[in-house]
Amino acid sequence: MNQIYALTDQHFTPLNRLKAQINELLTGGVKIIQYRNKSQIHDIALLKDISQICKNSGAKFIINDDVQLAKMVDASGVHIGKDDDSLQKARDILGYNAYIGVSCYNDLERAKDAVKNGADYVAFGALFASPTKPNASICSLDIIKEAKNNLTSKIAVIGGINSSNLNIVKELKIDYIAIVSALYTPGSITQNLANLNTILKG
């Protein structure tokens, strides 16, 4: 519960620093990492290496959006949005053991459908205004509370989460707290993780 779910981002985690940054996240105790790179320029060999490093650390390595890329690099699973492949297609390609999450934005009915169709987790957000997705719709905390009471899958929240609002988020007592920019700024990953975990455990 209240586990940090780390996301990469081509701005904060450029390919030439990605492996070192993921190693730092893993050393800091992160157990689920999503590779999100909207530039569509991927280093397959690097991602295969990172996928294996995550498995060796007992962590899940999730690919954002791209089911074929997830299969190609032997990732733990994929995270799909409304414009990506269907959950069933992702399951058919990646297999029963793949860990598949679905973006549900602020739509509880979409989340219910995703769970019914076998999603391992559903993600709601943005909880707050997000620097990485400035146009994202805001999801109310009431929807998260309702999801907790009605869904059997794990629940993730995302969007603008940082040290200034983490106390609000941790009170939701959900499974995954997805964080992007607050992992990489203002300090080092190690410092930022330590600060965030102090708040979570406080």
Side-chain angles (χ1 to χ4, degrees):
M1 190 175 291
N2 279 343
Q3 184 178 346
I4 289 177
Y5 183 157
L7 276 76
T8 72
D9 172 271
Q10 64 264 32
H11 173 69
F12 295 110
T13 58
L15 285 178
N16 64 342
R17 292 170 53 207
L18 182 63
K19 185 175 175 180
Q21 288 173 306
I22 283 182
N23 272 315
E24 196 171 352
L25 288 167
L26 294 170
T27 300
V30 174
K31 291 298 183 185
I32 181 164
I33 298 172
Q34 182 185 134
Y35 171 73
R36 187 168 77 179
N37 181 350
K38 299 294 187 181
S39 73
Q40 303 303 308
I41 299 169
H42 308 298
D43 183 331
I44 302 302
L46 174 65
L47 294 178
K48 283 182 176 179
D49 192 19
I50 288 170
S51 179
Q52 190 58 53
I53 288 168
C54 287
K55 287 177 183 175
N56 292 345
S57 298
K60 291 181 173 65
F61 183 53
I62 308 297
I63 300 294
N64 179 253
D65 291 348
D66 194 329
V67 177
Q68 295 295 343
L69 180 62
K71 185 172 180 63
M72 200 181 303
V73 304
D74 195 26
S76 308
V78 70
H79 183 92
I80 52 180
K82 61 185 176 185
D83 299 321
D84 304 320
D85 285 327
S86 71
L87 177 56
Q88 186 56 57
K89 184 176 178 183
R91 185 67 72 194
D92 289 344
I93 292 169
L94 298 177
Y96 178 77
N97 290 324
Y99 201 68
I100 300 178
V102 177
S103 288
C104 298
Y105 314 100
N106 55 4
D107 187 343
L108 193 59
E109 291 308 310
R110 177 177 167 82
K112 289 177 181 176
D113 284 343
V115 173
K116 186 171 69 177
N117 289 312
D120 294 292
Y121 72 91
V122 290
F124 293 93
L127 281 199
F128 309 100
S130 167
T132 54
K133 284 199 171 183
N135 299 318
S137 299
I138 299 299
C139 177
S140 76
L141 299 184
D142 288 338
I143 287 176
I144 310 300
K145 291 170 185 173
E146 195 172 342
K148 269 193 67 179
N149 291 331
N150 287 281
L151 301 179
T152 54
S153 73
K154 291 184 182 295
I155 294 172
V157 291
I158 190 169
I161 299 168
N162 55 42
S163 58
S164 69
N165 54 39
L166 191 56
N167 270 317
I168 298 169
V169 181
K170 80 173 185 179
E171 293 306 317
L172 296 169
K173 294 183 170 61
I174 45 79
D175 300 284
Y176 298 133
I177 299 173
I179 301 178
V180 191
S181 57
L183 288 171
Y184 310 108
T185 60
S188 68
I189 290 172
T190 300
Q191 290 168 330
N192 295 330
L193 264 176
N195 292 340
L196 294 166
N197 279 317
T198 297
I199 296 167
L200 286 177
K201 292 168 184 170

